Amino acid sequence: MLSDLSPVIAASARWLLSAFPPAAGPLNDALAEAQARHAATIAAALRYPTALDAELLNLLGPGGSGALDQVTGARPLTDAVPAWRTQVDETVVSWAACLLADPALAAVAAACLAATHHGANGVGDARRLTIPSPRDHRAAPLLRHPDLLGPIADLHRESLLGLLRLGPALTSPGHR
């Protein structure tokens, strides 16, 4: 895991799981969490591709879950906002939703990680995103449903697609 981005990754995955809960059962919880965390990890690595980006994130903060909560219609139970919600990054969540809904896009995103300072192997194996098994889909039917994820994914889909179009150019020898 990317230690400098771990608070944003954890909070963004937690937000995804709270908005799109897994099927009942501890195994489903674990499989859904693995998928959400992996998507958030790749999204965060792409969103904050350099050490400077990660440092700026730590300095300025990610922005919180307020806008995402409005899109999904979530209402806080109390006026107090749990601390983890302040670490949610709207763009990371949106990009993670794109990756969860589209395995082919997730494969392209995983391939583009080589252009980041995290490196191609910095986030581990992306099979749960790129080749999800039927068990992965059964564990997280809401988290993998393109129509349900659509409003969240659409928030920043175009910026992700634009970034991924640049991915191969960023890793070419002539670019550096």
Side-chain angles (χ1 to χ4, degrees):
M1 179 173 296
L2 314 172
S3 62
D4 50 346
L5 301 175
S6 60
V8 167
I9 292 167
S12 297
R14 185 171 178 181
W15 187 91
L16 282 163
L17 290 168
S18 67
F20 306 100
L27 180 58
N28 292 331
D29 289 345
L31 287 173
E33 182 176 357
Q35 294 174 67
R37 250 185 206 270
H38 209 113
T41 300
I42 290 174
L46 292 172
R47 172 86 165 120
Y48 302 103
T50 68
L52 179 59
D53 292 320
E55 289 301 318
L56 287 171
L57 170 67
N58 289 331
L59 180 66
L60 301 174
S65 66
L68 293 166
D69 293 338
Q70 287 181 340
V71 170
T72 59
R75 302 277 187 263
L77 298 176
T78 66
D79 289 337
V81 176
W84 69 267
R85 286 184 166 279
T86 65
Q87 291 298 311
V88 173
D89 184 295
E90 177 183 320
T91 303
V92 169
V93 169
S94 179
W95 288 5
C98 291
L99 302 179
L100 286 161
D102 186 347
L105 185 63
V108 173
C112 287
L113 290 175
T116 71
H117 87 278
H118 311 292
N121 297 321
V123 297
D125 185 11
R127 278 185 303 198
R128 290 218 183 276
L129 294 177
T130 60
I131 311 169
S133 71
R135 184 72 183 103
D136 291 327
H137 282 284
R138 283 193 309 272
L142 304 178
L143 191 61
R144 300 302 299 230
H145 197 288
D147 293 337
L148 296 176
L149 290 169
I152 298 300
D154 289 345
L155 291 172
H156 299 282
R157 183 186 315 273
E158 290 305 314
S159 62
L160 175 62
L161 294 176
L163 177 71
L164 295 180
R165 278 187 215 104
L166 292 175
L170 294 174
T171 59
S172 67
H175 184 270
R176 294 181 187 208

